[in-house]
Structures are given as structure tokens and as C-alpha cells.
Amino acid sequence: MAQAQAAATSVTLTVNGESKTLDVAPWETLLDVLRERLHLTGAKKGCDQGQCGACTVLVDGRRVNSCLQLAVMRDGCEITTIEGLGEPASLHAMQAAFVKHDAFQCGYCTPGQICSAVGMIREGHAETAEEIRELMSGNLCRCGAYTNIVEAIEEVLAERNAPKLEAAE
Amino acid sequence: MNRFSYLRASSVSEAVAAVAGDPAARFIAGGTNLVDLMKYDVEKPGRLVDITRLPLNAIEETADGGLKIGALVPNSDLAYDQRVRRDYPLLSSAILAGASAQLRNAATTGGNLLQRTRCYYFYDVATPCNKREPGSGCSAIGGATRIHAILGASDSCIATHPSDMCVALAALEAVVHVQGPKGDRTIPIADFHRLPGDTPETDNTLEHGEMVTAVELPAPRFGAHHTYLKLRDRLSYAFALVSIAAAVELDGDVIGEVRVALGGVAHKPWRDADAEGALKGALPSSSAFADFADRLLSGAKGQGENDFKVELAKRAIVRALGQAAAGTPQVQSVKQVN
């Protein structure tokens, strides 16, 4: 039988591959837990209202706005943040493509852009530049690096699709 | 955000009882709208009942050839489901026209039905709003009304329902399955949302404690002859100024059954069955579609700043019916409207 909880509840989250058990209040968002409790400050608190995408992380492999997730509801989930995708010495392909294509200026939206792009490629519905733009529209970039962001994502998509084409020959 | 207690429900009946017995309790699933409203102090629940662990996330075929969509099916899963893409492409397209990929991953089918208006004044707790605080007045009337209603509004409220999915559900004549403290019932989508009248605080015909458990679609009938045409202030990730869900059955050269629902123009998806019936037997043409649009928009009234929406809606209807009749639906990643 489920119990009503007014105070802190113990939850276990697997964050970037590490199991973390902590007490959270019902009103703590996943974003706040990641940033303030686990000190993973890659995901950004831009608008805190699900409008900018800077807080995007992967929950069980799916990209979501962590500012709109209550941490208590994500008990048992696997969370991947930008810190879990790659390290400076071993960048994820998407991180490397963002650097190569100069796909940012101030960098504030970049962790969310990259997590979102990784999630989008896993979803498997983007092929063309138009589809990338449409399916990345939940990530705003006030510096206006969109052109280079699309180019970076296109390159990762092409690299990902290349082996399949060779295998088909 | 206000302070509240949390209950993770382990059965539908437990969830229903927990909310029905507490006027300050709310169901929570995807949370994409409720958590947002809580951050603005528009919603201040005393208790949240988490229904996300309940077994309501399947899409099942029904005995009469339709689909029954569990209330917890995420919007993205529904939009990309192979059966939905094949048999109900209008629904898939409408869902993909709404929100962002991140929000569609989190938002649920039931929650989409229950999302609240994005009226600026409803969100701004410093201003009077009859929907948020009954009797306090409507700040939108005479204010900034670009996103507000042109049909079915009242002196108390001119808010619009913001959903894209629900506009397609209205055209497809979906049925909402509900479980409540008094048992189960079904509600045709046309009767699910309501007009504001003098009680705009009530968005729909659910009683407190009733939970949406599924949305049922009747057997598919329109094939490729459909479109979801959404016009808005930026090309993606914005609410509709006007949206059109259109589905047409052709009987040889002439129009058979037609369904047209409008979004962004009223407190609920807007349809007129008499106007749809009058199109039956006509040859598809811009003039026939324009006559239909005039009829569907009869009684439309702008609020000043949004006067343009009356003509915009009429022209969008002509375009949408043309797309549907030709079997060339709007693709949501293509921003040119033909």
C-alpha cells in the first residue's frame, strides 16, 4: 500500500552510471537535485519553466526538461547529464562535433543542446536538416548558433548512418 | 512552489479515492503543465497523487477496428506509433505540431486533454482572472488578446484551449474513458471540454476525483485525406493562433463526410456538424470551402487585438480543406503552406 509523504522521501537515481540514494522533498525538481545536491551543474536553469531546453537531460534514455520533473517521481530511473556523455579527454561524438562546428557562443544552452541532440538521434526520426530544426526546437540559443548546431548534428547523423550504408553494399 | 504531500498510487481505484476525498489533491503524470503552473503559484495543490506507475500505458486495438490509447501513453509514443501513423496520421501530425520533443516525451495522453489555457493573465497571479480566481474579473478583455478566443467566449473569460492533440481528437470523434468515485463512464470528446460561460474556472466536464484512463478512437475512415495546419507566431514550439484539423472522405468526385475542428479560437476545439453536413455532395473547390469557412466562423467576434484571427481562420480552413481533399497533408517539419 502506498504511503502519503509530506516530508522527505528516499529515492534512488542512477546518475551517469552511479547509484545515488538521497532524501528529497516532494517539491524538489530533478534539475535542482542534480545541480544543488549532486553538484552536476552542466544542466542549466535557464527559464525553469520548460520553455528553453537548457535543463535537458536523458531519463531512461529519453530527453526531457529536468526543470519540470519532480525528483521523487523519478525514483529508480537512469539519468544521464552532459557530465555522463563524455569527458574533456574523451568527448562524446556530439560534443566533438559541437566543438568542430563552433556550434555555440556563450555555451549556456550547449549542455541541453547536446543532450537533446543525442536523445533525438536515439529517437530516430530526424534525417534532414528541416527535421533536425523541427525536432530541436525545444532548445533555444539566444546567441543564434542554430546554423552551426544543425551542421554539427548533421555530421554525427551522417557518421552514424555511414556504416549502415557500407554494410548494405 | 507551495509545499504539498506526495502519494505514489499503486492502483487506479486508490488514486481516484485519494483525489476524490481531498479537494486540494491533484493527479500528476507527466507534470509538464501542472509543475509549470505550480511554479507560477497558479496551482497550489495540497497533495499530489502520482499515477505514473499505473498500468495505463498501452495502445490496444478495439473490437470495432479502432484504438484504445492508455492515459499514460506519452505524446511522442502516440505520435510515432506505427498504427497511429498509418491509420490516424491526422492525430500523429497534430501531436507533432505541439510543444517540443522533450515535452512530448514527458507529457501524457490524459494530461494533454487536461492542460490549461496559456492566457497570459491566467498565468500572472498579480492580475484578476475569473478562471484562476472566480469573481475577480477578466483582465484579458480589453487587454492583450492575440492568443484569445474569437468563438464561444463569454463576458467572464476569453481564454482558449491550447492543445493541438485535442483538435485532432475532436475531428476524429474520439471518446474519453474515465474512472471516478462513482464508477466508470465514457465522454465523447465534443462533450469533454466546455465553453466558459459564467464558470470559466471549470475547463471540462470531469468531476473532482475522476481520472482519464484512456482515449478511444473509432475505426479509421479518412485515409490520406487529412491535414493538420497550424499557424503561429514562430515556426515551431509555439501555441496556435489558429489551427485546423481537417479530414475528408471523397465519394467519387464529390465530398462525402467531412470533419473540421479548429484550435486556438475557443475554450474547446470548435466544430459545427451542420456546416460539415452542408459540404456533403459538393465538388471540392475553394469557393465551396470558403462558404463552409464563413458558416463555421459565423458568430465569430474578435477582441480587438485578435480581430485578424477571424479572416486568418477562414483562409486557413480553405487551405486545409484543399490539402485534405488533395491528399497532400501539411508535413510539420515543412514550414511552407501550399
Side-chain angles (χ1 to χ4, degrees):
Chain A
M1 197 64 190
Q3 297 293 312
Q5 298 288 340
T9 305
S10 176
V11 300
T12 299
L13 306 171
T14 303
V15 182
N16 299 330
E18 278 183 48
S19 180
K20 305 277 185 186
T21 298
L22 63 170
D23 290 339
V24 299
W27 46 87
E28 281 187 88
T29 64
L30 178 60
L31 176 63
D32 285 345
V33 167
L34 289 171
R35 289 181 55 85
E36 308 296 335
R37 308 278 299 279
L38 301 176
H39 309 297
L40 295 168
T41 54
K44 297 292 185 281
K45 188 181 273 201
C47 70
D48 206 25
Q49 286 149 3
Q51 296 179 8
C52 77
C55 67
T56 301
V57 301
L58 303 170
V59 175
D60 290 340
R62 294 161 69 105
R63 52 181 167 153
V64 298
N65 304 98
S66 61
C67 73
L68 294 180
Q69 299 276 322
L70 297 178
V72 68
M73 294 176 66
R74 297 281 74 88
D75 188 17
C77 288
E78 286 191 20
I79 317 293
T80 304
T81 69
I82 188 70
E83 291 91 342
L85 282 179
E87 305 270 333
S90 57
L91 294 178
H92 184 280
M94 191 65 74
Q95 292 170 315
F98 267 61
V99 173
K100 178 181 169 187
H101 288 273
D102 200 14
F104 46 82
Q105 192 178 115
C106 82
Y108 188 83
C109 72
T110 310
Q113 296 277 1
I114 290 175
C115 285
S116 187
V118 169
M120 179 185 69
I121 288 178
R122 280 189 196 161
E123 288 158 12
H125 303 298
E127 296 293 337
T128 66
E130 288 73 24
E131 288 165 344
I132 292 170
R133 285 191 198 98
E134 176 66 19
L135 294 174
M136 287 293 293
S137 70
N139 292 84
L140 306 189
C141 170
R142 294 296 77 176
C143 300
Y146 296 114
T147 305
N148 294 359
I149 291 170
V150 172
E151 283 178 5
I153 297 170
E154 278 186 299
E155 178 169 301
V156 177
L157 257 180
E159 283 167 6
R160 194 184 149 91
N161 292 337
K164 281 190 220 162
L165 293 175
E166 285 166 17
E169 281 167 7
Chain B
M1 223 185 300
N2 68 299
R3 300 305 181 233
F4 55 88
S5 67
Y6 170 78
L7 175 77
R8 186 177 297 155
S10 49
S11 70
V12 175
S13 52
E14 184 194 14
V16 165
V19 173
D22 180 353
R26 297 281 185 278
F27 299 112
I28 185 164
T32 52
N33 191 209
L34 181 56
V35 174
D36 183 36
L37 289 166
M38 287 164 66
K39 290 186 178 189
Y40 281 94
D41 281 335
V42 175
E43 291 274 6
K44 289 175 277 188
R47 185 188 220 191
L48 288 186
V49 177
D50 177 359
I51 62 169
T52 56
R53 313 281 167 133
L54 304 181
L56 298 172
N57 52 4
I59 302 175
E60 297 165 336
E61 283 149 42
T62 63
D64 51 4
L67 282 183
K68 190 174 176 187
I69 303 151
L72 293 175
V73 173
N75 289 175
S76 51
D77 290 16
L78 180 56
Y80 291 120
D81 181 90
Q82 287 306 316
R83 293 161 295 184
V84 173
R85 293 177 90 167
R86 183 189 65 212
D87 296 334
Y88 306 94
L90 171 59
L91 177 59
S92 179
S93 184
I95 293 170
L96 294 177
S100 67
Q102 289 97 315
L103 291 168
R104 293 192 294 266
N105 278 343
T108 62
T109 305
N112 193 314
L113 290 169
L114 298 171
Q115 65 176 306
R116 309 209 65 192
T117 186
R118 269 31 176 228
C119 172
Y120 324 120
Y121 305 98
F122 174 70
Y123 264 79
D124 181 356
V125 295
T127 62
C129 167
N130 286 321
K131 184 180 279 296
R132 175 167 33 77
E133 196 175 332
S136 63
C138 174
S139 303
I141 295 172
T145 60
R146 190 168 176 83
I147 63 167
H148 289 79
I150 54 172
L151 286 161
S154 72
D155 292 341
S156 297
C157 181
I158 59 170
T160 54
H161 195 266
S163 171
D164 293 294
M165 185 188 86
C166 292
V167 183
L169 291 180
L172 295 169
E173 300 184 319
V175 173
V176 183
H177 291 245
V178 167
Q179 184 171 329
K182 296 174 203 159
D184 301 345
R185 64 182 178 123
T186 57
I187 308 169
I189 188 75
D191 301 328
F192 185 84
H193 298 104
R194 58 185 295 282
L195 294 178
D198 54 9
T199 53
E201 67 274 21
T202 309
D203 292 349
N204 56 56
T205 51
L206 291 183
E207 289 177 27
H208 184 73
E210 281 191 309
M211 189 174 116
V212 174
T213 55
V215 172
E216 186 173 342
L217 299 173
R221 63 189 298 181
F222 299 106
H225 294 287
H226 69 90
T227 198
Y228 189 73
L229 180 59
K230 180 177 182 180
L231 304 177
R232 46 193 153 173
D233 278 331
R234 61 184 183 193
L235 292 177
S236 182
Y237 197 17
F239 291 97
L241 291 169
V242 167
S243 71
I244 319 288
V248 175
E249 235 177 20
L250 289 176
D251 185 4
D253 289 342
V254 301
I255 295 168
E257 293 291 324
V258 179
R259 301 285 181 269
V260 175
L262 307 186
V265 297
H267 202 256
K268 60 186 287 188
W270 193 264
R271 267 188 68 192
D272 181 337
D274 291 340
E276 290 169 6
L279 249 189
K280 202 169 177 176
L283 283 167
S285 70
S286 293
S287 63
F289 298 152
D291 289 346
F292 169 82
D294 281 340
R295 191 158 171 179
L296 190 53
L297 270 294
S298 67
K301 179 176 162 290
Q303 298 288 337
E305 199 177 88
N306 71 352
D307 288 348
F308 71 95
K309 284 170 71 167
V310 179
E311 184 63 23
L312 183 69
K314 289 181 182 178
R315 295 187 188 193
I317 290 166
V318 173
R319 291 287 186 99
L321 279 170
Q323 291 179 344
T328 54
Q330 187 74 33
V331 175
Q332 296 306 337
S333 59
V334 174
K335 301 306 174 182
Q336 185 177 328
V337 177
N338 291 312

